[in-house]
Structure formats: structure tokens, C-alpha cells
Amino acid sequence: MEQLEVHNLTKIFGRKRKAALNLVKQQVSKTEILKKTGATVGVYDANFKVKAGEIFVIMGLSGSGKSTLIRMLNRLINPTSGQIYIDGKDVAKMNEEELRQVRREKINMVFQNFGLFPHKTILENTEYGLEVRGVAKEKRRQLAEAALDSANLLAFKDQYPNQLSGGMQQRVGLARALANDPDILLMDEAFSALDPLIRRDMQDELLNLQEEKQRTIIFITHDLNEALRIGDRIAIMNDGQILQIGTGEEILTNPQNDFIKEFVEDVDRSKVLTAQNIMTAPFTTNIENDGPNVALSRMRVEEVSMLLAVDKRRQLKGSLTAEAALKARKEKLPLMEVIDKNVKTVSPDTLITDIFDLIYDSPTPLAVVNENGRLLGVIIKGRVLEALAVNSSEA
Amino acid sequence: MEFVDIFSYKLPIAHLIDQLTNWLTTNCAGFFNLITKGGSALMDFITNGLLFLPPLLLIVLLTIAAYFGSNRHFKLPALTLLGLLFVYNQGLWTGLMNTFTLVLIASLVSVIIGIPLGIWMAKNDKVQAVVKPILDFMQTMPAFVYLIPAVAFFGIGMVPGVFASVIFALPPTVRFTNLAIRQIPKELVEATDAFGSTPKQKLFSLELPMAKPTIWAGINQTIMLALSMVVTASMIGAPGLGKDVLSALQHANIGTGFVAGLALVILAIIIDRFTQKFNQPIQAKPKLTPKQKRNHRLIVGGILAAIILILGAGNFKSLTQKAKPTINLGYVDWDSEVASTNVIAQVLRDQGFKVELTSLDNAVLWKSVANGSVDAEVGAWLPTTHGNLYKQYHNNLVDLGPNLKGVKLGLAVPSYMNVNSISDLSNQANKTITGIEPGAGVTAAAKKTLKAYSNLNDWQLSTSSSGAMTVALDKAIKQHQEIVITGWSPHWMFAKYKLKYLADSKHTMGRSENIHTIVKKNLKTDNPKAYRILNKFTWTKEDMESVMLDINNGMSPQKAAQKWIKAHPKQVKAWVD
């Protein structure tokens, strides 16, 4: 018996549940069922096991039923059918009182919008779980302060949630759950409301916590990169059903159906990103009008040492370095004669993987030029590296 | 197969409602009496306490409270000080305190019932589905309708006033509480559940604190509605400023009506501003240190102790005076009855009675004498005018016979109109008879008259109040227009204007009538001395008109009565010996 086992868990909202169930069994889509019966399929026939100390990620697009699934684990939503075993006891069959004990001692939750009580201070929020359990005041203060201390928030303990940034608030949410020292932690899109940088920090923090003490974590996200970073195993959901469960590697290398293929395509960005996704605006000089002084002053203003040379119709003619411009000024030459005509060009839909080899040994940026020879933008090394790094902000 | 035409058969809804209230009145009498007794005692306790404090001291205390309550701004304290001084200056202080007590108790009861009900509604969709239409019904039903069962259940005075106010003012508190709890973000509710809170923990740590500002807004609404009910409740004898407004309406005194109304406005604004203070959104405020908390507790405790002490002292004072036997006189706010009731009240006071005067609608007054909540009234016009009421209640009251002989009712017109009898009327005065209160005896007689005379079959009777009628009469005479009124004498209008009664060949407006004194059934055994005085009380039309004229010329009813008593010592002596 694993720490958490879920068998045939199903949730149908609304009326005519029987009819809806029959339709689900026939693989009819969610929208069809809603049209026919007026019932919404939240989750259908979910089966999985989670070992103690494992981070189990459930992911899917919005409306795939992942939030409903996680809420059934602690019975915030009552399942229509199925069993949920925590340490071998079926939560779905428990009465109010038994369920309350399980929620107090075994399973806690962190919410997407933090779920902090606006009328309580940070400390009062953090000790809430302990207060509910009836822990003596001194003792719960101590535990809550310790939890806040490990989240580096002790200084803020007498502040109110609305005085804190999003990241801090979510650390409070996490501290509130951890102060209780639960066996299982449910995290419902816990980092989705934070900005990308803080999100990475929080992911790191969570992994650090896991190193100190192995907890069972059920983590919900719609962001595959997040799932790959922190998940020991990942379950992908769509239309209320779990399509595949496996490690990140298994899912990337062996997607079991087209939906998942499409889903994981995103992650190998070098295969889908093209030149036009990463090009920046070019600094140009119009060599039919400008002389070397104009070109040099533009370089000073833009803080660059090189400009792309174009004609009036923005046709790419070459590149102009600062040295070449100085030479032209000294020798009174027109710019036309000092530009370097050997600029490497790529078309806008060149894949990043191909650009990578080109830019690697090119001293100058690459120019992005369309089929008519018109200059659209430039690609610099930094942007390529940035794009290749796994960045969750664009999920 | 016989076809039953449902449109020719009127459903007996009114009858059923009557049956139900009668059943309740007889079967729950003990319960209602207990509430009436307890409620009256509590409200007297509060009012006595408030009135025990010198008004100026109370005004200063409230101003100080306003100053500290409004974070040391000057607007609210200035308003409190000037507004209350104005009310005191206008001699409406007692009325203000009575009104305040009524509003306080009505609001408290509304809150005590409303908040739990609102919580229950928020937690249970079925309860919401049942309660919501009931609340809509309560709020849209005209408040006058509640007055009728209120009198049946609780008699007259403060308690039925509170009952009616509560029904009228309860809905906002319930609605806002329900709304506030339902509006708490779902995630927060999930959070409390996820940590395994019991429903009680959820209520006190999340729902009530989060809902507090909205609930306060609801309570504020409730208080304002209770305030707006005081005028209506005064029709069934609730004391306070409402009585002044109502009396001003019945006598068409624009000035006094305006002043009493203004006093209500001042009270409303002060209460509103004070309660707004509690109605502030959740915000981060610095935590109090233990020492500050202790100080706060001391201050609040001190204030509470002081209030209890003052209330106690005020009531101790009134208890020591309670040795006086009390007699409750009811009257309708007609000029004739104001005169006679004030005279007999003054006579009884001189004989060592504590007299409570209650102004009521005529029908309610008869009912109140019959059920014993009023001891006596000296304005029963018999046999015709109040004949119907006499028929209805004569088994439950004692008729002590006439106290004034030879009064007259009739349709009256200004003497410049060239009609002399009711049968001469054809299309004068827009075919309208300008009447008084719908419950008055003369109104019933006028209705009978409209039916009896064939030339009046397309005439109509427009009821209003005796004050409004005299204003309309005054206007018509000044503009030399035609008007037909329901008149009665003795009345000062016959002295002031040239009026004539229309001859009444069918005698539907009654032949010559007398004014009787009627008392509750067991007054003779309860209070023999008062019974004897009331029994002997008789005077003449001229006596009454002299008092009426004094009152109409601006003397207060009590002063006019005292003046008359001074001038007729012999007559009064004959009543009391």
C-alpha cells in the first residue's frame, strides 16, 4: 500500500449523472456530454499511486479537471464514485469527524491565490492550522514562528497579507501548511499567480525543502516546464481523464498520443522557435544619404560599434563597423566603399537550431532578410542563448 | 355537472386571516402578555434611565463620544451638539428619548434574529429559497398592515411598535448577512475547510470577521428603517417624536410637524454617522499591546458600568414614585377629544393619579378599551356615530353613559353655498365629500348617507384626517369655492367660519347624539376611585368649546385644561367627591 492511492475516482457535476457516465464510457467528449445531458464531467476514472516522499505532478490545460481532482483528495469536493486511500484508509467513506482529523493531521493545502485571511496577521495566518487543532497558544506561536523563520519572513509576522508581495504571500501560504507538519501537501497551481522570476525562486525553495524533509507533494500546474523541474512523476490530464503517467523523461521521449505530443512539443523550443521569434530591431544607416559623421554619431547614441547598411528601400547592403567609418572620414570616402558586404543572412523562418551553428562562429550579428532582400531585424548571440534556456514565462 | 363560477364566489382570505389572528390572540394570550409585560418593563427601564440624566449633561457626553469616535474631527461632534440642543430647545427631549428607545430595541431584536437567520441562509440554499420570498413580502407589505395584528397581540404602546418595526426593519440585516457570507472568496472558505475547521471555527475565524463591514451596512439600514417606522408605530400608541408628527398631521400644523420631523432627521443623521464608524472595510491596523488592550477594556468596562448605574438610578427614582396608581386614558386626536381628555386627565392628576395619555385611531381605541390595554376614554359618540364599534365591543367594556349631551354630526357647507339639505346636492364641489380619518364614526355615517340618498349615488367620500379636512375647508372658504365636509360639533370651526349643517331628512348622519365615557371591564374593581371620577364626569358643549378655542389659539392642551379647571372649581369638585 502506498501513502496515497486513488482508484476509479470520478466526479460528475450537475444532474443526469448516470447518463453522463455512460457517455463518458463511450469516449464522448466533455462538450458533447454537456450539450446532451447538462452534466459536466469533472474527473473520470482517475487511477494513480503516490509513494511517500514523492512529488507527483498533475498537469493539463485549464478545464482538464486537475483542480477538481486535487480537491477530491482532501474531499473539498465529494467524489461521485471511487476510493481515495491515505495510509490505507478510504477518505471517501469517512464521516465529517474522521475527515476533519485527516485534514488536520495528514493532508494540507496551498492555494493558487494564496488563500490567506486578510483580517489576520501573517503570524495568525501561519498558526491557523494549529489553532484549529487546538494546540496551546505558546506552542503554536513557537511552531508558526519557526515556520516563518525558515521562509525568511519572521520580520513580517505582525504585518497583514495585503502589505506583502505575491511571492511573500505564497511563502506564508506554504509556511502555514508546513507549520502543521503534514504527511501530504497539496499544491493547487501554487506558483501560477507569481511572476516568472519569483516562480523559479519558489520552485527552488520547494526543492530545497524536499531535500531537508521528504514530503509527499501533489502538485498541480499547467506549465510543463514547471512540471519537469520539480516532478518526480507527471500525470497529464485532458477532459477529465488522465492520459499518461510517467517520469518527465518518459513523457518527453514516449508520448502516448497526439495530445501529449503536441503538449510536449513546446518544451524542446529549439525545434519550434524560428529567427523571427528572437530577432531584435536593427540599428541601420542609410548609405545613400548618410556620411561617416552621421553614422558615427548614431553609433555613439545607440552605444554600438557596428551598424547595418541599407539603401532607401531598406535593402541590405552590408555592415559598417566603427573602424570603417573612421577610415571613411579620414580618407573622405563615401560609406559605400568601406562597408563589409559579407553579412550572414537568414530567412525569418529559419529554426533556432540552424541559427545556432551560424552564429557560433560569426563575429557580427546575423541579419534577418526576407525573400525580397528587405532587412527585418538582427539576431545577437545573447538572445539565442536566452531562448534556448528553459524559460517558463512563456508557457 | 354544475358549473361553479369562481368569479362570483369571493375567496374568504380576509376571513381566514381574521380567524387565524383570533385563534392566536386567544390561544397564545399568555405568551403575548409575557412579551408585552417584559418588553414594556425593559423599555420603561431604558427610557427612565435616559430621562434621569439631565439633558444637557447627556448632550455633552454624546458630543465628547462623537469627538473621540470620529478620530477628533469636528463635523460629527458639532452636529451632535447643535442638533441635540435644538431638539432640547424645542421641548422634544422626552419624545426623542422615547423614539431612541424604540429604535434601539427594534434594532437590537432585528439584529438578534437577523444575523443568525442570515448565517443559516448563507449556509443552506433551501433555507435561502424559503426565506427570500418571505423577506420580499415583509419589505413590500405596507407597514400599516402590521399595526393591526400588533394591536391584537400586544395591545398598544411601545411593544406593538417594536413588533411592527422589527417586521419592517429586519430584512436588510438578514439579506446583508447572507450576502456577506456568500461573498467570501471561495478559496478562503476552502482554506478553512482544508485545515479541518469545525463549522463554528469557520464562522468565528473567517466568516464573521470578513462579513463584518457588510453586516454593519445591513444593521445601519435596519436602524434607518426602524426610525422611519416610529411615525407609523405612533398610530398604535408608541410614544416619541412620531406622535408629534402624527398629531401635527391630524391638526394640520405645518410648523410643529416640521420641527418634529427635523428632530427625527437629526436623530437619524447622528445614529447613521455613529454606526458608519463600525462599518469600515478590513484594513491593516497595528496590533494593540497587552497594556493598551487592558486600558481599552477598562475604558469600555467603565462606560458600561456607568450606563448601568445611571439606568439603575433613573429607575430607582421612578420606582420610588411608582407608588402612584396609574390610569391610562386613550383618545383620538380630534380637537373635541383632545379638550375633554386633557381636562379629565388633569383632574385625575390633581387627585394623585399618574395619567398616561395615548392617542390612537378610533377603531384601535375601542379595541384597546375592550381588551383592557386602555383603562378609559371619554370620546365615544353614541348611539349612531360609533354605533358599529359599540355593537362589536359592547360585551367587553362598560358604558358609563354620556359626559356631554347634544352633539351633532352632519354634512356641513360654507353658508355662502345655496344648498340647504342633503337631497339638494347634485354636482357641487366636484361631487366630493371631504371627510376625516377612515376609522372615524362620522366617516361611517357619511358612507351610509351616500348609499341612502339617490342623488348622491355618483358622489364620493374622500377620507384624510381631521386636520387635513380643516385645512381644505379654510382654503375653500378663502377662495370662495364650494366644499362639502363631514362636520361635527362641538368644534371650533363653527366658531371660526360661517358654516351650516345640511338638513338630513333620512337621519343617516344620526339624530342628536351624546358623547359617552367608556371604560374597561374591570376598572370598577381595579381602580374604584378613578372609576367613580370618570363616572361623574359631565360637562357642556360650551365648556368644551372654550377649551377647544384656547387650544386652537395656540395654548397647550394641558395649560388650557388647567385654565378651565381653575375657572370651574365647583363643577370639578362635584366630580371628585
Side-chain angles (χ1 to χ4, degrees), chain A residues 162-377:
Chain A
N162 61 3
Q163 295 167 288
L164 269 57
S165 70
M168 286 173 167
Q169 290 191 50
Q170 194 51 295
R171 298 219 301 274
V172 175
L174 196 55
R176 175 174 68 177
L178 295 178
N180 247 345
D181 197 20
D183 302 343
I184 302 174
L185 198 56
L186 305 177
M187 300 181 77
D188 178 23
E189 302 211 23
F191 306 148
S192 302
L194 305 172
D195 67 63
L197 288 175
I198 295 180
R199 205 157 153 181
R200 281 185 78 96
D201 292 347
M202 290 296 292
Q203 289 165 5
D204 292 339
E205 211 165 301
L206 188 69
L207 292 169
N208 289 343
L209 275 173
Q210 238 1 45
E211 275 170 30
E212 286 164 30
K213 184 176 176 178
Q214 302 273 299
R215 275 177 221 282
T216 313
I217 298 179
I218 313 293
F219 193 97
I220 297 258
T221 179
H222 57 245
D223 173 1
L224 186 58
N225 293 312
E226 187 163 68
L228 292 170
R229 274 200 86 206
I230 62 172
D232 295 329
R233 281 189 308 141
I234 300 172
I236 297 190
M237 282 184 84
N238 188 37
D239 258 10
Q241 303 189 39
I242 296 182
L243 302 179
Q244 185 175 359
I245 300 179
T247 59
E249 192 62 29
E250 283 167 6
I251 285 185
L252 287 182
T253 51
N254 184 19
Q256 282 182 5
N257 62 25
D258 292 347
F259 176 82
I260 297 180
K261 253 188 217 129
E262 230 169 276
F263 205 89
V264 298
E265 200 101 274
D266 260 6
V267 99
D268 202 346
R269 309 173 80 81
S270 56
K271 285 191 184 144
V272 288
L273 277 186
T274 57
Q276 62 188 349
N277 296 115
I278 59 162
M279 69 187 184
T280 53
F283 299 123
T284 59
T285 174
N286 180 344
I287 49 172
E288 293 183 17
N289 296 351
D290 301 350
N293 285 321
V294 173
L296 281 166
S297 90
R298 178 158 308 157
M299 287 181 199
R300 237 192 337 272
V301 170
E302 305 288 5
E303 297 178 334
V304 291
S305 59
M306 195 203 82
L307 295 170
L308 287 177
V310 293
D311 63 10
K312 273 186 192 155
R313 289 172 29 249
R314 279 190 83 78
Q315 296 290 325
L316 181 68
K317 293 293 172 199
S319 66
L320 174 72
T321 59
E323 293 84 16
L326 285 169
K327 189 177 159 208
R329 188 161 69 179
K330 231 196 250 155
E331 301 175 14
K332 304 273 192 305
L333 293 169
L335 288 178
M336 198 66 189
E337 295 186 13
V338 294
I339 57 172
D340 175 6
K341 294 196 173 76
N342 295 331
V343 181
K344 282 187 181 162
T345 61
V346 292
S347 76
D349 35 29
T350 316
L351 285 172
I352 290 195
T353 34
D354 306 334
I355 294 170
F356 202 75
D357 303 332
L358 286 175
I359 204 164
Y360 200 73
D361 46 19
S362 156
T364 58
L366 297 182
V368 183
V369 180
N370 71 4
E371 59 269 26
N372 306 329
R374 191 152 170 243
L375 177 67
L376 302 171

Side-chain angles (χ1 to χ4, degrees), chain B residues 181-194:
Chain B
I181 291 177
R182 281 175 182 269
Q183 274 183 337
I184 293 171
K186 191 166 163 242
E187 207 174 50
L188 296 182
V189 180
E190 281 182 334
T192 50
D193 281 336

Side-chain angles (χ1 to χ4, degrees), chain A residues 71 104 113 116 119 128 132, chain B residues 187-188 190 196-197 201 205:
Chain A
R71 278 170 175 69
R104 285 177 180 186
N113 298 312
L116 298 181
H119 58 282
Y128 182 75
V132 165
Chain B
E187 207 174 50
L188 296 182
E190 281 182 334
S197 318
Q201 286 169 327
S205 64

Side-chain angles (χ1 to χ4, degrees), chain A residues 7 13 44 78 82 87 91 103 114 117 172 227 231 240 257 336 348 369:
Chain A
H7 296 294
F13 294 100
Y44 174 66
N78 283 318
D87 297 334
V91 177
R103 284 174 176 175
F114 328 134
F117 307 124
V172 175
N257 62 25
M336 198 66 189
V369 180

